[in-house]
Amino acid sequence: MSRPSPLTSRLAGFGTTIFAEMSALANRTGAVNLGQGFPDTDGPAEVLEAAVTALRAGHNQYPPGPGIPALREAIAAHQRRFHGIELDPDGEVLVTTGATEAIAAALLALCEPGHEVVTFEPYYDSYAAGIALAGATRRPVTLRPPDYAVDPDALAAAFSPRTRLVLLNSPHNPTGKVFTRAELELVAAQCRERDVLAVTDEVYEHLVYDGREHVPLATLPGMAERTLTISSAGKTFSLTGWKIGWACGPRELVSAVLTAKQFLTFTSGAPFQHAIAHALGLPDAYFDSFRAGMQARRDRLCAGLEAAGLDVFRPAGTYFVTTDIRPLGEDDGHAFCLSLPERAGVVAVPTVVFYDDKEVGRPLVRFAFCKREEVIDEGAARLARLRS
Ligand code: PMP
Ligand code: GLN
């Protein structure tokens, strides 16, 4: 007799993340992996050296729960330098195990069972799981291609008296959308009117293209006092395996998140904390050339995907481009991605898994361009064979 699943009902249906599933498929089939968003080159050599130095200097025991002072100071300095946000490193900045832990800890710390969380779909998968773990309910506002514009009526309709917070990701994974100041103002107006908190995920803050600007929601009027701003070093320094993230904002919010965080990991990554403190102080030239390099890869992959016959929604930011596969005569993005390694030797991610509205997400497929140019070219050349 088979036993019922031991998994709690809160996590029923979450299974394995699409990123793990698709990277395993790439490894198994030898396909070009344009699925999971991780760079295939290392971060800056001097940051790697800083980690080695920290290891050798004996920074190998538990760092303080909120993070080492040098990193909290570097995060505060980064927020001032790039966004004009003033923070007290002592109480308004918390170091976390990647943005993932910051998001989960924020949801666990701030939501009661029965609360609702407004978020935009397609949503990053850990949001749905974090909301479920907290016993809350997600209220997605649907973004649709080609421009993924915010519909003010749909946004307003997602709020209710049970809304606890808005969980906003900009620059946005998987669409590559960068919320405009006007769109952020719509979100801020709802938060202020309804006295709702905001949690923002800004892990792609330095990957915004074509001269656009990344606007942290916390910089809008009346938002600093109700916004927890989350980011991490993974994307900005091409060090996704280090899992150094942070959450910043009003003392009471940061303190609440620390209460949850200390029972998840307590603390992590002692030598990496030292190295990221160094990384955050790199000159502007680093951030500029990093962004320019990724923008060039975006252009390269978009051109390749267009040549392969896909409908391409050119992203304003992030690592990712979404496409519509219908010009190829297909409309099931999930089936397409499962068969793609065999048909073309490429792995991509079906966007539908990030949508509750499956009809909108069904024909959409996400490709990552945070890869070496020869890998992008090889992937595009293989996809071009689908046409024939
Ligand atoms: N948020 C978004 C939107 C992401 O794409 C990712 C994946 N890198 C994360 C959070 C997780 O960040 P971290 O690796 O720092 O936990
Ligand atoms: N953020 C990465 C992506 O969207 C994946 C991170 C992960 O595997 N959890 O591809």
Side-chain angles (χ1 to χ4, degrees):
M1 215 175 78
S2 69
R3 294 185 191 205
S5 165
L7 185 66
T8 170
S9 59
R10 291 192 299 285
L11 284 177
F14 281 97
T16 304
T17 80
I18 194 71
F19 309 116
E21 184 186 342
M22 288 299 161
S23 279
L25 188 61
N27 288 337
R28 211 161 55 235
T29 58
V32 174
N33 191 353
L34 303 181
Q36 193 177 26
F38 62 89
D40 57 0
T41 46
D42 253 340
E46 67 179 276
V47 179
L48 304 186
E49 278 312 311
V52 172
T53 303
L55 274 166
R56 296 221 164 101
H59 295 300
N60 298 306
Q61 309 307 329
Y62 297 130
I68 62 167
L71 178 53
R72 284 185 278 113
E73 281 156 23
I75 293 164
H78 170 277
Q79 294 304 91
R80 181 185 313 117
R81 172 178 163 199
F82 289 101
H83 308 309
I85 295 174
E86 294 294 334
L87 294 162
D88 181 351
D90 213 356
E92 295 180 334
V93 178
L94 171 66
V95 176
T96 58
T97 306
T100 306
E101 186 193 38
I103 293 161
L107 291 164
L108 290 169
L110 301 174
C111 294
E112 297 288 358
H115 273 153
E116 295 177 357
V117 174
V118 172
T119 193
F120 291 90
E121 69 171 353
Y123 46 77
Y124 185 57
D125 67 346
S126 86
Y127 299 0
I131 292 165
L133 281 172
T137 304
R138 62 178 181 270
R139 291 285 171 239
V141 181
T142 305
L143 301 173
R144 297 160 202 273
D147 55 2
Y148 300 106
V150 174
D151 173 347
D153 296 330
L155 176 65
F159 284 80
S160 87
R162 290 178 300 282
T163 308
R164 173 60 163 162
L165 59 89
V166 178
L167 177 50
L168 175 88
N169 172 217
S170 181
H172 183 261
N173 178 9
T175 63
K177 173 187 175 66
V178 176
F179 283 67
T180 64
R181 193 176 281 277
E183 288 175 325
L184 294 171
E185 188 45 56
L186 291 172
V187 175
Q190 292 291 338
C191 290
R192 287 187 306 250
E193 270 164 37
R194 299 169 189 265
D195 196 17
V196 157
L197 301 172
V199 175
T200 65
D201 173 350
E202 307 184 15
V203 300
Y204 300 100
E205 62 188 304
H206 288 287
L207 290 174
V208 173
Y209 309 129
D210 309 316
R212 288 184 183 81
E213 60 167 347
H214 166 66
V215 180
L217 187 67
T219 61
L220 269 54
M223 292 307 290
E225 64 259 37
R226 61 176 73 248
T227 302
L228 186 79
T229 302
I230 292 171
S231 191
S232 86
K235 306 300 146 69
T236 299
F237 301 107
S238 303
L239 296 166
T240 61
W242 285 16
K243 299 295 284 189
I244 301 294
W246 49 87
C248 309
R251 204 167 286 278
E252 322 76 72
L253 287 184
V254 168
S255 163
V257 177
L258 173 59
T259 302
K261 182 256 177 332
Q262 65 189 339
F263 300 116
L264 296 174
T265 57
F266 177 51
T267 188
S268 62
F272 301 130
Q273 291 198 18
H274 288 267
I276 297 301
H278 176 80
L280 287 168
L282 287 175
D284 289 355
Y286 167 75
F287 296 89
D288 292 342
S289 79
F290 172 61
R291 181 179 53 246
M294 206 62 81
Q295 180 174 315
R297 292 172 208 212
R298 174 202 62 175
D299 294 343
R300 207 172 181 103
L301 182 60
C302 286
L305 295 172
E306 270 159 14
L310 294 151
D311 207 354
V312 174
F313 308 116
R314 194 178 197 75
T318 76
Y319 275 175
F320 308 110
V321 49
T322 35
T323 60
D324 190 322
I325 59 172
R326 281 175 293 190
L328 297 178
E330 307 184 37
D331 73 349
D332 183 341
H334 206 167
F336 177 84
C337 288
L338 289 176
S339 67
L340 203 54
E342 195 177 315
R343 290 166 64 199
V346 174
V347 159
V349 166
T351 307
V352 69
V353 302
F354 310 122
Y355 272 105
D356 287 358
D357 187 333
K358 299 296 179 196
E359 278 317 302
V360 177
R362 189 174 156 84
L364 304 178
V365 171
R366 187 195 86 171
F367 293 86
F369 51 81
C370 49
K371 309 290 174 181
R372 282 169 291 134
E373 292 182 348
E374 58 270 31
V375 174
I376 292 173
D377 291 349
E378 177 63 26
R382 292 183 182 196
L383 287 167
R385 290 186 216 137
L386 283 177
R387 260 185 145 168
S388 42

